[in-house]
Every structure is written in C-alpha cells, then in structure tokens.
Amino acid sequence: MALSEKHSRESLIPSFLYSSSSSTKTLALEKMLHARPSGFTSNVNAEGASARKGLVIPSPSEPSKKIEMYSPSFYAACTFGGILSCGLTHTAVTPLDLVKCNMQIDPAKYKSISSGFGVLLKEQGVKGFFRGWVPTLLGYSAQGACKFGFYEFFKKYYSDLAGPEFSAKYKTLIYLAGSASAEVIADVALCPFEAVKVRVQTQPGFARGLSDGLPKFVKSEGALGLYKGIVPLWGRQIPYTMMKFASFETIVEMLYKYAIPRPKDQCSKSLQLGVSFAGGYVAGVFCAIVSHPADNLVSFLNNAKGATVGDAVKKMGLVGLFTRGLPLRIVMIGTLTGAQWGIYDAFKVFVGLPTTGGAPPPVSAATELAKV
C-alpha cells in the first residue's frame, strides 16, 4: 500500500523532478524556468526594444477614415464648403456689387461701370469700395451653408422618392426641385443681411456697416422690415439657383461626355476642378440673365422706404427692369458662380469626396456584394 501511495504521488509530479540524477534535475528545472512559449518570442523582444527606447510602445496603425456619401459627415462637409464658396466669393466682389446696386438705384449718376467706379473713388475713396462687406460676408455665408447643404440633401431625398428609374430619366427635374427647395430656406437666412447691405451701400450717410446699420434699420422699419424684400429675393434667387445647379450639372455632364476623351474617374483632380470652374462660369451667365429683373426689384425696394413693386416698375420701366445693370451683373455672376463651384468642389476633394456632376463614382465590388 505504501508503494502504491508513493507511485500515486509521483504521478502528479513531473518526472524530471524525481529522476535519479541530480544534474539532470537541475538542468531540467532551469529549462522550465527560462523557457518561453515560441509564439511570444517576437513580442517580448519588441517590448524589450521599446523599453530600451524609453518605454514608447507603438500603437497599431488604423486605416484612414473616409467620409461616407450621404452620411451626416457628408452633409456637414457640403454645408461648410457652401460657407466658404458663397461667403468668400461674394465678399471678394463687393466693389462690383456696390457699383451695380448704385447703377440700379441712381442711373443718372452712375451711368456706366467705369464712371460708377470713378464716382465712388472720388466721393468715398478706396475704402468706399468695400462698404457693406460685413453683412455681405455673414449673409452669403449663411446662404451658402443652406444652399449647398440642403441641395445635396433634397437631391438625394427626391431621388429616393422617385426611385432609380425615374430619378435617372428625370434627373434635371430632380436638380431643379432640389435647388429650389434649398434656396427657399437659404433666402430666409440671407434676407436680413441683404436688406442692411443694400441700405448701407446705396445711402452713404445711413451707417458704416452692420453693427450700426442693423439697429438703425430695425428702429426705422421694425424687425419685420428686414423681410420686406423676401418675396422679390425669392423671385431673384430661386430662378437663379435653379439655373445655377441644373445647368451646372448638365454642362459638366456634357463636358465629360463630349469634350474630355476619358471617364471622369480617370481624370486628375486638377482637371476635374477646371471642369467645375468652366461649368460654373457658363451656368453663371444664364443665372444672371434669368434673375436680373428680380435683382433690380430687390435693390429698389430695400433702398426706398415704403416702396412697392408697382413703384419700381413705374420708375424703371419694363425694359429697364430687364436690362439696367445687366452687363456688369453678367460679368460679376459668371465669375462668381465659376469661383463658387471651384471652391466648393476643391473643398470636397480636400476632405476626400468626389467633385459635383458628371458620371457618378464607380461602385466597388464589395458594395455590390453587400447589397446582394
């Protein structure tokens, strides 16, 4: 029985610990204590090297995150791109806008583009060319955010409502509906700033800018007076924006189809941005012509206290409503719209999004399999 108990105890202990040779015991024990699993050898070596370098352990590399199309991040990027696009460009052309507004309000004094600049320079100096730039910057930044951000949203929304077949067949109607819906919202943001801007630019003694012009305007005509020009503003901006987006999308698609010998996804980013600027400039010319009568109305109503649309038509005449200040506005809006599309698409490229218009980006095989 003693022999049996001894055998049982020995079976629970590794054999090298009760082997007869003491040297063998020592050697085997040392091997056990110093042994490392083979899978951890490289990790231990790396940790030792890191410790020698000051306990700096490298973090695992992560793949760069890409903005998913039509995600909240996508719409946020488009909104910010719209702020840059409209705010910067409208502020840059403030001198042209100033001359244009004064030509519309007082054509006897501001007879032409060149004479208009001469009158401003003589009466107000170089600083006069940028009078009203603060309401311009803030107003058109707010408008651009809503215009581009909501356009991308409504374009996707209406395309989903129509379905793949009808959205492809009637894509121009989708562009028109999406841009019109976006502009209704954008003009609500723009209107108060536009009212103060026109008053500051066309009445030199009224105020220096937004900070003193806004309270003076509200005191004179009430808070609702800031929205007195909202209907003419919609009349100007909604046709303008519908033409701006629908014609741009169509022109860019035609350029990639007929003028450029390779598909859009094979073109360099610089070439794509060049197409965006060219398409935007041509679209801007159409925009200026379509929206010019309403632009004359907005300038007239915001300049004259208590004026009506009938007063504007009576004083300017029907022909003057369509033609007064039009050549300057074509130059201004063409350049403006081309630059806006260039800046907007440049920002989209910067954040990893495709440029607007043309053929849609190719769908990866993984995406197709995921849909199946």
Side-chain angles (χ1 to χ4, degrees):
M1 180 172 180
L3 189 62
S4 174
E5 288 177 356
K6 180 182 178 184
H7 177 74
S8 176
R9 285 195 301 269
E10 286 181 351
S11 65
L12 298 175
I13 303 173
S15 60
F16 64 80
L17 292 179
Y18 55 83
S19 63
S20 58
S21 171
S22 62
S23 61
T24 305
K25 287 181 185 178
T26 305
L27 181 61
L29 185 59
E30 287 179 354
K31 285 182 178 179
M32 182 185 73
L33 293 174
H34 293 88
R36 296 190 185 100
S38 58
F40 292 94
T41 304
S42 60
N43 290 340
V44 173
N45 291 339
E47 289 174 2
S50 297
R52 288 193 297 272
K53 292 180 181 179
L55 297 175
V56 178
I57 301 175
S59 61
S61 59
E62 296 180 0
S64 58
K65 293 182 179 179
K66 195 172 183 180
I67 295 178
E68 182 182 351
M69 293 292 289
Y70 310 116
S71 64
S73 298
F74 168 78
Y75 293 118
C78 294
T79 299
F80 190 76
I83 292 173
L84 296 177
S85 171
C86 293
L88 295 178
T89 51
H90 276 277
T91 304
V93 297
T94 296
L96 283 173
D97 189 40
L98 196 60
V99 173
K100 185 262 302 178
C101 287
N102 281 284
M103 287 176 66
Q104 292 169 332
I105 298 303
D106 192 357
K109 184 176 182 180
Y110 298 87
K111 297 178 181 179
S112 65
I113 298 173
S114 58
S115 67
F117 277 107
V119 170
L120 280 175
L121 183 62
K122 183 179 179 181
E123 292 186 353
Q124 302 176 36
V126 177
K127 289 184 178 180
F129 288 126
F130 285 92
R131 195 171 69 251
W133 72 270
V134 175
T136 299
L137 175 63
L138 297 180
Y140 283 95
S141 293
Q143 187 213 37
C146 298
K147 178 183 293 190
F148 282 91
F150 280 110
Y151 172 69
E152 298 288 359
F153 171 79
F154 283 118
K155 183 170 71 169
K156 176 70 165 57
Y157 178 73
Y158 292 142
S159 295
D160 290 343
L161 284 181
E165 181 182 351
F166 287 105
S167 62
K169 187 176 181 180
Y170 301 107
K171 57 189 172 183
T172 302
L173 291 178
I174 299 289
Y175 302 148
L176 291 171
S179 56
S181 301
E183 190 60 39
V184 170
I185 300 170
D187 288 344
V188 174
L190 169 65
C191 194
F193 297 99
E194 182 75 0
V196 176
K197 176 188 80 75
V198 172
R199 189 67 62 89
V200 168
Q201 290 180 338
T202 57
Q203 295 182 13
F206 175 72
R208 294 189 306 273
L210 181 66
S211 59
D212 58 337
L214 180 59
K216 188 177 284 190
F217 192 105
V218 172
K219 185 178 180 181
S220 172
E221 303 195 28
L224 291 179
L226 293 169
Y227 284 94
K228 180 178 66 175
I230 186 65
V231 174
L233 188 62
W234 277 332
R236 180 187 80 183
Q237 289 298 129
I238 291 176
Y240 165 86
T241 302
M242 291 171 72
M243 181 64 73
K244 174 180 180 175
F245 283 90
S247 61
F248 173 81
E249 298 260 17
T250 303
I251 291 166
V252 167
E253 184 178 347
M254 291 176 66
L255 286 173
Y256 282 115
K257 189 174 182 180
Y258 299 110
I260 299 174
R262 56 183 181 274
K264 176 183 174 180
D265 59 319
Q266 296 179 15
C267 298
S268 65
K269 295 300 181 184
S270 58
L271 177 58
Q272 291 183 32
L273 293 176
V275 170
S276 295
F277 177 81
Y281 195 96
V282 176
V285 174
F286 295 136
C287 292
I289 296 170
V290 167
S291 63
H292 191 66
D295 183 64
N296 274 323
L297 286 176
V298 171
S299 296
F300 185 89
L301 292 176
N302 284 326
N303 177 69
K305 183 178 179 180
T308 64
V309 174
D311 295 333
V313 175
K314 185 177 179 180
K315 183 172 183 179
M316 300 175 70
L318 198 59
V319 175
L321 203 63
F322 280 85
T323 59
R324 185 178 293 178
L326 180 59
L328 177 57
R329 192 158 186 268
I330 286 177
V331 174
M332 186 182 84
I333 297 299
T335 306
L336 194 74
T337 309
Q340 284 178 355
W341 279 114
I343 292 172
Y344 178 66
D345 276 348
F347 181 78
K348 288 176 73 176
V349 168
F350 175 74
V351 298
L353 291 170
T355 58
T356 310
V363 180
S364 64
T367 306
E368 292 292 340
L369 288 174
K371 290 180 180 179
V372 176

